[in-house]
């Protein structure tokens, strides 16, 4: 027993143990690559034994045939009401009345989804990086870009309701790109 332990814990014994562990890991990784995603390699569900990717090629209703690039997905267009609502939010976001944090939050909260409003709680209006809107809003899909004096405010619009608004277009995400 003592001799066996001395061989195992010698330099050569440790090298052999590490080599066996590495080869075992490689064998397991190779076996994992050969196993289908479902993990069932028994062939019971598929008597022919060939694997199929039917579940991954079903039509999801979004892509079109011979589709390349961004043209593969239907483009939703916002109604003018949503664009107008985004501009109203941007005007309140700029804090033209000089409200303190709580007053500013109260002025923008009716334009926000409940989740976005929760994220804006405690934000200081002094952190708003712009002073004025400098151009026309540009709707693109469900987003509206609003050019400002120091960058572009991009608002993601969604239809819904919150604690202040029964139903209508609300801002679900706010993104700022410095110019």
């Amino acid at each position: 027993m003592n001799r066996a332990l001395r061989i195992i814990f010698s330099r050569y014994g440790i090298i052999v143990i590490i080599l066996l562990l590495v080869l075992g890991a490689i064998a397991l990784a190779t076996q994992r690559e050969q196993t289908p995603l479902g993990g069932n390699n028994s062939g019971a569900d598929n008597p022919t034994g060939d694997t199929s990717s039917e579940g991954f090629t079903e039509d999801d209703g979004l892509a079109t045939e011979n589709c390349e690039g961004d043209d593969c997905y239907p483009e939703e267009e916002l109604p003018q009401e949503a664009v107008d609502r985004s501009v109203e939010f941007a005007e309140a976001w700029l804090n033209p009345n000089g409200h303190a944090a709580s007053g500013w939050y109260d002025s923008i909260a009716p334009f926000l989804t409940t989740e976005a409003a929760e994220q804006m709680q405690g934000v200081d209006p002094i952190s708003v990086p712009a002073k004025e809107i400098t151009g026309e809003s540009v709707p693109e899909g469900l987003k509206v870009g609003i050019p400002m004096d120091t960058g572009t405010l991009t608002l993601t619009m969604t239809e819904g309701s919150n604690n202040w608004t029964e139903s209508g277009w609300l801002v679900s995400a706010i993104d700022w790109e410095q110019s």
Side-chain angles (χ1 to χ4, degrees), residues 11-105:
R11 266 185 260 167
Y12 301 112
I14 291 175
I15 290 173
V16 169
I17 290 171
I18 291 173
L19 185 60
L20 288 173
L21 288 173
V22 169
L23 290 175
I26 291 171
L28 286 174
T30 304
Q31 179 64 30
R32 176 75 177 159
E33 288 175 8
Q34 294 172 356
T35 305
L37 291 176
N40 183 1
N41 207 13
S42 67
D45 293 334
N46 192 355
T48 61
D50 61 344
T51 59
S52 172
S53 61
E54 271 182 38
F56 300 109
T57 59
E58 289 180 9
D59 185 10
D60 60 3
L62 294 177
T64 60
E65 290 184 33
N66 301 326
C67 178
E68 293 181 18
D70 292 336
D71 299 332
C72 296
Y73 301 98
E75 201 54 45
E76 286 191 49
E77 291 194 27
L78 288 173
Q80 188 60 42
E81 174 189 356
V83 176
D84 294 342
R85 187 92 168 139
S86 69
V87 172
E88 290 174 22
F89 168 80
E91 290 168 348
W93 183 70
L94 290 172
N95 196 16
N97 299 326
H99 292 296
S102 63
W104 176 71
Y105 175 79

